[in-house]
């Protein structure tokens, strides 16, 4: 057999292997819904059973006839199920919801969603009725002009209810992580500090923080994403950004001095992350892929 035909055969075999590997890789991403109105911009765990996970998710929609929240169910290796939720009562719908967090001690029933402008919505989920009821609206403290918030999370750290939120940043403009304490009785956040942050990946059309979550040890996980337009192509990364803990009587931030992506993804714009405890858990990310809709992916999951 001539060298030319051997080369052709090798190229064909290699292409086939690459195609198969791409198909296997693609199967790890599970489509939720297609189209811009179904992009996922925040998520929180609401139910965990053997081989099944339920999440409350928010959409960054702005029109009256578009959904704001839904539940997605991931069961085994099946494609996610999608259950839209209604807002209870005749209230003005939120505009551009970009983040969602459960409230420690009230997991599965009460949550806080955040819009890009910094308006927070303390909400209650009534799963039996498939509705969301609004408890209280309030604003983030001391909002700088030009802020565009994409992340908000709560965690109990050494007996304090700590709030962490972030302006996304863009290009050479860094993201800004803020932290403080939240008093649920008064709906007041007492700001404590802030820090700038820029990630090394992605490099183009970058939003340095597209979402974040805090684990009980105070470690902050962030997602970053590139957004060149409604048709992509997108890229995303997942990072450990740093650590929040007490120094004396004050909550202090220690930033990771050498940021590197724990995971990096092509073709998807990650805008939501949640931490799932236990042996069957892991971190789960969800996307707002604009015209391509939404997908979910379990980092480290068995499925």
């Amino acid at each position: 057999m001539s060298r030319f035909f051997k080369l052709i055969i090798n190229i064909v075999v290699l292409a086939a292997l690459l195609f198969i590997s791409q198909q296997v890789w693609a199967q790890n991403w599970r489509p939720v819904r297609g189209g811009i109105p179904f992009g996922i911009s925040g998520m929180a765990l609401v139910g965990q059973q053997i081989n099944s996970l339920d999440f409350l998710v928010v959409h960054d929609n702005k029109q009256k006839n578009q959904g704001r929240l839904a539940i997605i169910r991931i069961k085994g290796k099946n494609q996610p199920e999608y259950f839209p939720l209604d807002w209870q009562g005749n209230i003005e719908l939120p505009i551009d919801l970009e983040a969602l967090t459960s409230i420690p001690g009230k997991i599965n029933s009460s949550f806080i969603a955040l819009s890009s402008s910094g308006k927070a919505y303390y909400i209650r989920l009534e799963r039996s009725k498939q509705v969301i009821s609004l408890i209280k609206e309030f604003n983030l403290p001391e909002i700088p002009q030009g802020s565009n918030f994409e992340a908000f999370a709560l965690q109990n750290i050494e007996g304090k209810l700590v709030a962490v939120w972030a302006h996304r940043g863009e290009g050479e403009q860094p993201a800004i992580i803020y932290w403080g304490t939240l008093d649920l009785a008064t709906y007041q956040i007492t700001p404590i500090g802030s820090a700038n942050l820029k990630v090394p990946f992605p490099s183009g059309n970058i939003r340095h923080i597209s979402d974040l979550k805090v684990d009980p040890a105070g470690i902050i996980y962030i997602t970053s994403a590139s957004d060149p337009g409604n048709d992509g192509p997108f890229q995303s990364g997942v990072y450990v950004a740093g650590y929040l803990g007490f120094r004396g009587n004050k909550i202090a931030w220690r930033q990771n001095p050498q940021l590197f992506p724990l995971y990096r993804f092509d073709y998807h714009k990650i805008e939501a992350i949640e931490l799932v405890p236990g042996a069957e858990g892991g971190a789960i990310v969800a996307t707002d892929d604009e015209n391509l809709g939404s997908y979910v992916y379990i980092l480290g999951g068995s499925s």
Side-chain angles (χ1 to χ4, degrees):
M1 187 180 296
S2 69
R3 290 183 179 179
F4 175 77
F5 284 110
K6 286 183 179 179
L7 177 61
I8 293 298
I9 291 172
N10 287 336
I11 291 173
V12 170
V13 171
L14 178 60
L17 290 173
L18 287 173
F19 178 73
I20 292 170
S21 66
Q22 286 176 348
Q23 282 189 315
V24 171
W25 178 257
Q27 288 170 0
N28 291 328
W29 284 96
R30 305 187 194 188
V32 178
R33 279 291 186 274
I36 287 179
F38 296 99
I40 295 172
S41 54
M43 67 191 310
L45 181 69
V46 295
Q48 184 177 13
Q49 299 178 2
I50 296 175
N51 211 32
S52 180
L53 296 169
D54 287 359
F55 298 91
L56 183 65
V57 301
V58 294
H59 305 303
D60 60 357
N61 291 324
K62 304 173 181 64
Q63 305 301 319
K64 290 183 178 180
N65 61 342
Q66 296 174 328
R68 299 312 199 259
L69 293 103
I71 289 176
I72 62 171
R73 176 170 296 154
I74 303 173
K75 191 170 184 179
K77 297 185 178 181
N78 299 327
Q79 297 304 324
E81 299 176 83
Y82 180 89
F83 306 96
L85 300 172
D86 293 324
W87 282 80
Q88 191 175 50
N90 186 22
I91 65 170
E92 185 176 351
L93 293 175
I95 301 297
D96 200 23
L97 292 178
E98 290 287 356
L100 181 70
T101 181
S102 58
I103 298 174
K106 300 183 179 182
I107 294 174
N108 303 342
S109 62
S110 297
F111 306 85
I112 293 178
L114 184 74
S115 72
S116 59
S117 66
K119 179 175 284 189
Y121 298 84
Y122 186 178
I123 57 177
R124 179 175 293 119
L125 169 65
E126 299 181 55
R127 295 193 66 179
S128 60
K129 300 178 182 179
Q130 295 290 95
V131 298
I132 291 288
S133 56
L134 177 65
I135 300 172
K136 182 70 175 178
E137 293 182 20
F138 61 98
N139 292 312
L140 294 177
E142 302 174 5
I143 298 175
Q145 187 174 1
S147 293
N148 195 323
F149 298 105
E150 289 212 356
F152 183 82
L154 296 174
Q155 188 58 259
N156 275 325
I157 300 178
E158 299 189 31
K160 298 285 187 180
L161 183 56
V162 176
V164 186
W165 62 102
H167 161 67
R168 72 187 189 187
E170 189 169 0
E172 291 302 312
Q173 179 195 65
I176 306 174
I177 291 181
Y178 302 87
W179 62 95
T181 55
L182 172 61
D183 184 345
L184 282 177
T186 62
Y187 308 103
Q188 294 293 315
I189 295 176
T190 302
I192 294 175
S194 65
N196 292 347
L197 183 145
K198 293 174 69 175
V199 299
F201 174 88
S203 58
N205 303 291
I206 178 67
R207 297 175 180 179
H208 296 283
I209 296 179
S210 59
D211 198 17
L212 66 79
K213 283 296 187 293
V214 189
D215 74 11
I219 297 171
I220 295 181
Y221 299 82
I222 66 169
T223 59
S224 304
S226 65
D227 185 3
N230 288 344
D231 296 313
F234 307 113
Q235 287 184 313
S236 298
V238 180
Y239 293 83
V240 170
Y243 162 81
L244 275 177
F246 278 85
R247 187 176 299 161
N249 293 322
K250 188 176 180 181
I251 299 173
W253 164 249
R254 184 172 181 180
Q255 189 162 308
N256 186 346
Q258 294 184 329
L259 287 170
F260 61 90
L262 298 175
Y263 296 89
R264 63 178 74 213
F265 300 100
D266 293 323
Y267 315 118
H268 291 287
K269 178 163 64 89
I270 295 173
E271 288 204 4
I273 185 171
E274 177 63 306
L275 308 177
V276 180
E280 299 298 321
I284 183 167
V285 293
T287 73
D288 180 356
D289 289 340
E290 304 298 343
N291 285 333
L292 302 177
S294 55
Y295 292 75
V296 293
Y297 182 89
I298 300 176
L299 307 176
S302 60
S303 59

